[in-house]
Amino acid sequence: MWTTKSKILYGLYKATSSWLPKSRHFILGKKLRGFYAKKILKKCGENINIERGAIFSPGVSLGNRSGLGVNCEVAGDITIGDDVMMGPEVFITTKNHQYDQIDIPMMDQGSSTDMP
């Protein structure tokens, strides 16, 4: 999922755009975050809004007129449709902690593979 190109672009996104002010205060921040999203995401619709501090992986598809709120984290093979407004601090992932063995703390069992 992560290629060398997507890692470099994501590094540039984090260094240049993710920390810029919220979109309603600084339109250039919205444009720069959208630029990087279009280069990194699996699919990226038109007129999207990636807010300050949003974290995402290249497996994410983001529909038209949709957005990731302030400090959101969306990781894995996830499709977000058209016209979705995500609030701040939302966390969506396709992985989970292993919990098969009750005698071992969950945090020591690793994580599962991507869920369907």
Side-chain angles (χ1 to χ4, degrees):
M1 209 190 276
W2 284 98
T3 64
T4 301
K5 180 181 175 182
S6 64
K7 287 178 184 177
I8 291 168
L9 286 167
Y10 192 75
L12 289 170
Y13 161 77
K14 293 293 284 181
T16 64
S17 304
S18 70
W19 56 272
L20 292 172
K22 295 177 188 176
S23 296
R24 69 176 181 229
H25 300 300
F26 189 62
I27 194 69
L28 181 60
K30 175 181 178 177
K31 290 182 184 225
L32 283 170
R33 289 188 289 265
F35 169 80
Y36 283 110
K38 286 184 183 295
K39 302 285 186 190
I40 297 167
L41 297 177
K42 181 195 275 183
K43 180 182 172 222
C44 189
E46 296 300 317
N47 197 22
I48 55 126
N49 184 32
I50 308 293
E51 279 293 353
R52 177 186 173 102
I55 297 171
F56 50 85
S57 69
V60 174
S61 295
L62 185 62
N64 295 316
R65 300 169 308 280
S66 291
L68 306 179
V70 175
N71 297 324
C72 279
E73 185 171 346
V74 183
D77 189 19
I78 295 170
T79 300
I80 299 168
D82 294 340
D83 302 308
V84 175
M85 293 172 60
M86 202 173 293
E89 308 288 336
V90 172
F91 178 81
I92 302 172
T93 185
T94 59
K95 294 186 184 253
N96 198 0
H97 293 286
Q98 292 289 97
Y99 53 87
D100 300 337
Q101 299 174 307
I102 61 170
D103 57 327
I104 299 173
M106 188 170 63
M107 71 165 112
D108 294 333
Q109 293 188 47
S111 62
S112 66
T113 57
D114 284 342
M115 295 182 280

